[in-house]
Structures are given as C-alpha cells and as structure tokens.
Amino acid sequence: MVTARAAATFEPDGRSASAARGFVRDALLGWGLPEVVDDAVVLVSELVTNAVVHAGTAAEVSCLREEDSVQIGVTDRHPERGLPAFAATPSAGTEESEHFADAEGEGGRGLLMCSALSSRWGVEYTAGQKTVWFRLPLQRALPGTRYALPQAPGEVLPSTDGPVLVAVVQLDAGGLVRSWNADAEGLFRRTGAEVLGSPWAELVVWPASPAGSLAEVLGLARWEGSYGIRRADQRTIEVYGSQVRVLDATGSPATLCLLVQQRDRAVLRTPDRVTVAGVPAGGGIEPLELLLESTPTDDLSTLLQHTVERARDLLDGDASYLLLTSEDESEFEVRASTGLPAGRARNVRIPLDTGPARYDSARLPAVHEDLAVRPGAVPLLAGTGLRSLITVPLKVEGRLIGSLAVAAGSPGKYDNEQALRLQFAADKIALTVENARLAERERRRRGALSFLVEASDLLAGTLEHEQTLALMAQMAVPTLASWCAVYTLAEHSRTAELAFVLHEDEERIDPLRALLRRAAEPASVAASGTAFWNGPAEALTPAEPAGLIGETVVLPLSARNRVIGLLVLGTRAGVPFRQEILELAEDLSRRAALAMDNSRLYSERNATSQALQRSLLPPELPKIPGVEVEVFYQAAGEGNEVGGDFYDLFPIREGTYGFAIGDVCGTGPQAASVTGLARNSLRLLAREGLAAPQVLTRLNRAILDEGSRGRFLTLLYGELTPLSDGRTELSLVCAGHPLPLRLRADGKVIPAANSQPLLGVLEELELTAEQLVLEPGDVLLCVTDGVTERREGQRMLGEEGLAEVLTGCTGLTAGAVAARVQRAVERFAPEPPSDDMAIIALRVPTQRRG
C-alpha cells in the first residue's frame, strides 16, 4: 500500500542530475527515511544522467513510499534508444536478466548498480516512454531511537554547466579493468579495446590520502573523492570519483567506479551539511568547538581524551566515549572515555554493524531518547544507568573512521538539534583525528621494527637453550601479552612439554603454570598455524585468581621445516588481542623459533663435546706416595669444541708412575682423535716396559700413520719414582712443549729439561731422556702454551713471567702453586683466556707423608 508519493520532472540540461539528487534526498529525509538516502541518490543520479544526458529527453522522477519499502522510478520519453548494455549480466531466468539480454547501447552502469544496491528492479515500456524502477527495503523503526536529520535538507544544491561525461568503469578483484562505457572513452580518450584487462593503477594518478593507498581504497565498501587520470596523450586531469563495492555475475567481488571531471563533481558529490558561508544547513544551529587552541593534536590519546571530556561538558552529559575503526574497518575499538565505570571501556572491541537493523549503524547520527526502552541496544552502556545517548560518525572523504557519543542519566535529554551540533563538530575534527591516528600507526610501525631488531639481537646473543626460552617469554611480556608460555616438541613427538612460564604479575606465575599443566594439549590447536586456544579458560576452577585468563593464542615455532615448539600468549580477562599485536607476535615467533632451534642444536653439540672431552681426560688421579700432585684444566670458550690440550697421570709398574701434558694442533673431532690416540698409546707403550724416548718415538710413528687426519703434537712426558730417602727421581722428554720449570726450596727457578722435536712432523726422531732428582721442598711445574702465551695487547706472559710467578710460590703446597699460577694467568688480561689451559704441579714435601 502506497503511503506517500512525490514526483518531479527535470529538463535535459547539465543541472538535472544534481537537482534530481536533491529532490530525492529531500523527499526521503522528509519522510524520515535517512537509511535509504545514500543508495537512492546514487541510483537516481545514474538513471537521470542516462535519460537526460544520453537519451536527450526530460526525465520524470517518482518516489513511492510503501509500508516496508520505497520504490523510485525514472521515466524518459525516448524508449526506442533501448537500455544500455553491460558485459556482466544477471543469472539466466530472472526478470532482470531478460532486460539485460535486450539491452544495447552505451554503458549499462545504472542497471548494474540497481542489481547491486536494490532488492528488486525492472523496466516498464508504455507508449512513448520507458521507466526504470528500483525498490529499496525499509528497516523497521526501533522504539527509543531515531536518526538526527537536518532541519532543511537539500536547500543548497550543487551546480555544473556544459556537457557531463559520467565514466563508469568496472574493476575485478585484482584491480584490472573489465568494463568501460562510452563516457569513459570520452573522459580518458581511450577506447575500450585499449584498456580492457589493464591495471587501473596505470590509468590513474593516486594522491597521498588518509583513506590509504589505491589498493586499500578499492577494497572499501564505498568511497568518493578527487584524484587524477592519465589520458591517451599522457595529460593528467583531475576528476571526482565515487565507487561502490559489488559482486559480479560470478559472485566475485568487483568495484564499480563513477568518474566526472572535477568541475562536474556536483553530479556525484554528496551534498555538504553546511552552506558556503559555513552556516549549518539546519539554519541557526550553533556549532560546538571540540578543539581548543591548547589541545595537542600530535598525541592521539591525549587528543581523544580531551575531545570526549569537552563533548561531555558542552552537552552537559554524564559520560562520553569515542570509538575508532580497526585497520581492516571491521570493528570499533574504544579509544577514549569519560564517566564510564573503571575498566568498562578499556580495550573493548565492537562490531562495526551490530546487527541487521540499520538504526544501530554507526554510519549515521542517531538519538537514543531512552535506552531503557531497548535494553542491550548499546552493550557498552549496559548497567551504567545512562538513558539518553547521541552517536555521530567521524568520516574523512566519505570513509568512516570512528564514532563519538555523549550520554546522560536522564531520558529524553537530547534532541535533534543537539545531535546535529555534535555532528558538525565531529566533521570539523575528523581529519585532525585521522592525521593523529596515521601518525600513531607510523610510530607503532617503527616501534614494531625496533622491537624486532632488539629481539633479534637478544636472541642472537646467546646459545644457551634455557636462556633462549626465558628470553622469548621476557620479550613477549608485557609488550605483546600479559603472560607467555613456551612449549617444546621433541623430534618425532606430538606431545608438547611445558618448558617456561612468565606472567607480568610474578605472584601469578605458579597458578598459571598449574593451570596450563591441567589444560588440554595445545599442539593440535596450532597444527595449521596461529590459532586461538580455549584450553586454559576451560581448565579454570573457582579457586583460580580472578582475571587470570582472557584471550589465548598459540603460535607454532617452526624451524628447518619442523615444528619444534609452541609460543602461547595470553591476555587478562576481558582484554582481546589487537590485530597488529598478533602480526608482531608472528614475526617474533619466526625469529624465536630459529634461535630456539640453534640453541637446541648447540646444547646437544656442547653436551656431546663435553662428554668427548671428559673421555680424553683421566677419570681420577692416582695417589703417589711421597709426592704432592695437583692438576688444573680449563677449556677455552663455551665448551662447544673439544680442546687440543690434555694431561694424564697413571701407574706404570709398582713404584713408578708416568705423567704427560700435551697440546694437539687445532680443535674439534680431528684434534680429539689425535688426543685419544696419544693418551691411550702412552699408557700402553709405557706399560710394555719401553723407555721414555722409545715411547714417544712409537707415538710419533702412530700419528704419522694417521695421514691427513694426523695433527702435530707437543708433549712433555715423564716417569717418576719416589725414593726411600724422600727424594723423587724423574726421567723427562720434552718434545716441542713449553719447558717444565723446577722451583728449588731456596726459591730459585730453573728449566728442568731441554726442548726436543715435536711429534707428528718428522719420520725419524732422535729423542733422549733427561734425568732429574727432586729434593724435598722442590716443585716441578708443567703447563701448556695456554699459560705461557697469555696475552694483553702486545704483552705476553711468557716463560719469564711464569718463572717470576713461580718464584713467589716457595714453600707452598702443590695445590697452592697450581692455584696461584692459574690466578696469575686470569689476571694478566681483563679478557677471558682464548686458549685451553692445563697445569700439573708436582712437589716433594719436606717431610714424608704415609
């Protein structure tokens, strides 16, 4: 049933399209139907342009209001021209597909837009005229809520003169041109054959815009604004464009772009809410000034907080809040509030459109006269006792960026005029807010890069497995999350083992660890990538601390084509993850996974090296009657390589003992093989009864037999026999090794042997044993070159420096002598030693010990 009717006729001139837009806008707003204004104006503008500009006839626009819809028709007087055709057609068998099939001519943009925006449309032919009509469904008016409407809409109409070219271009999801009408050929001066399939980016000159890059804008549902186009002669002209996101005939996303020259922008441009003089179109409404000169505009948080506080004060409200859209424009985030309960608005996410009712849309200003009539209409205010509410959108170049709201405790406090005042104020600050938000995003981006650089440096600074796990958690908390847990996965295992837990509140670490041990297995959650995990929340018991668990996300730690662990991040109760935080966490997880795998491999290698190193050293030293023995050994570096230094002390026969200290050239497995060969050969040959020179000669032959695997070896080998009179007899061979030093009881230090050729180089060796008797109180000190070649810059400890240190050890026990030499080496330079170090101290006590 028709409840209202309006009609007007427009002559075929350049102003007809804009005048028709104003007529339809006035009619619909006058009927209280703002929710369909935008769609109706876009469609009427296109259809009137087709009738007036292309068909060259007057156009009659009729608006019919029905109970649940609005039907608008555009009638022209030249039906024999037919309908414009378009490449994309509706599905076969529908009423609309028949019209498309019969269509021919120069564009078809109006019919495609009707198909995309309206619930139904059609074409009717009668004698001498043709009518294209479309129907828009109406939303049921909700009690307690209404839109804030201008007092006198459409009083100021845009104007243009001369012929109007309205180019219509359809782009596919990849930004390629798929359709090109005749006006587009005239505007661009390029034929359809030239441009079909070409990237849109090559045909336009996109300016720096708060709306984002060209690719980002093409993904928006609606957008309008100015940019440049390149004509065939490479000239650039400025155009005004309006675009809408639609589905093509295959159901794939597409973008429909309408363009006019900048001078004809009134054809497409949404009418301003204020007159040229800056007076609101409502007439006489006093605007609000939300920004004072003292308000900082470079700090987004401060700017928004000042805005909500001033909006609340100017409208005498009890509370106010400001929402900003997320980067993907799918939801709002509460960024500032005043007058709301503590913690109510912090980090709250709200869907951009809360439901099918467009009266709840944040894209239009609205007045909620009494929230009690619609419980739950605004979940953010539930339970606050606030009854009246105004919400107005913040838009930049037609793109929604946020919403500003003011609320009061009493019902019916706000009316249409106050909503418009707030809307005008929001329009004035929207660009300032967007600029501040873009600056904040840039700071966040740079902060994220700095965070990742620092994380990479820290992770690269250690190869300790446990320390790497701790670093991963410490970097995530509290920058990315309130708590973090690291799980490890053994090779060929599907069971994740909890390895490290960290919470920003140290008192909650143990309860969190106990909760995670009870929770379900997280490994399967992240089988296909980053995923949210409900395990901790489901494992909560009433005894757990309040607010312990909010959102939990599991990120796989993948390195070298294998998942080696899981990084689990969690927030406090009621705090969701922001998308940029999740993206940053994924970047961190990739770096952490590689560092974690490196530390695991290093730890395994280190453990293997240490086990091998221990196998090359004697498990324990024999006790020699009448001789004090002390040995000190220290491998350089972090123990990841098997050192070339070694020592040994072993019984040869009753009353006689062999000792050796040596240094194999190099480190690693090949050096270790020579070390093992030398140690085992010395014991075997000495126990065969061979003299010291013969022992070393045969060892030399064994090393040379190793061929390319061999390494030259410096070695001090000796045999000692304690005598009954308290002295000790020694037989020494020093094969290229640092000379042993003898400390007499009177404090004099002398070499105890002469240097002979090293092993593993010459085929034939002539070695001789040197005999020595240690008197009571004498000390024999044997070291590797890690002691004598200790350096600080150009200085070196050397044999003279070692002798000087030994001189001060007169009267000390063997253990004290070894300790003093070791301290002297450590203190010679501030840097830690870079070479392995072995020390053997033998002392004949002044009194025999049993």
Side-chain angles (χ1 to χ4, degrees), residues 92 229 726 731:
I229 63 170
S731 177

Side-chain angles (χ1 to χ4, degrees), residues 548-631:
L548 182 63
I549 299 296
E551 281 191 347
T552 304
V553 66
V554 181
L555 300 100
L557 297 171
S558 302
R560 299 178 175 92
N561 299 319
R562 187 173 71 87
V563 177
I564 62 172
L566 303 170
L567 181 66
V568 180
L569 302 178
T571 63
R572 300 185 303 276
V575 179
F577 278 107
R578 297 199 308 271
Q579 182 61 34
E580 60 267 25
I581 291 296
L582 293 178
E583 293 172 357
L584 188 57
E586 289 179 344
D587 285 338
L588 174 64
S589 69
R590 286 189 286 270
R591 290 165 169 78
L594 188 59
M596 179 176 167
D597 200 41
N598 288 340
S599 68
R600 178 186 63 82
L601 295 173
Y602 174 82
S603 297
E604 292 175 356
R605 180 180 178 184
N606 190 29
T608 302
S609 298
Q610 290 179 350
L612 180 58
Q613 185 78 67
R614 287 191 297 269
S615 71
L616 299 176
L617 301 175
E620 58 183 13
L621 299 176
K623 293 183 179 180
I624 303 176
V627 179
E628 296 177 4
V629 179
E630 184 66 30
V631 173

Side-chain angles (χ1 to χ4, degrees), residues 692-704 711-715 733-736 755-769:
Q694 294 175 303
V695 169
L696 267 62
T697 299
R698 294 199 178 185
L699 175 59
N700 179 65
R701 169 51 55 191
I703 294 174
L704 291 175
R711 292 285 189 275
F712 66 79
L713 166 68
T714 68
L715 179 67
V733 178
C734 184
S755 183
Q756 300 185 59
L758 52 77
L759 307 181
V761 178
L762 302 176
E763 293 280 349
E764 299 295 334
L765 289 180
E766 293 184 4
L767 303 174
T768 58

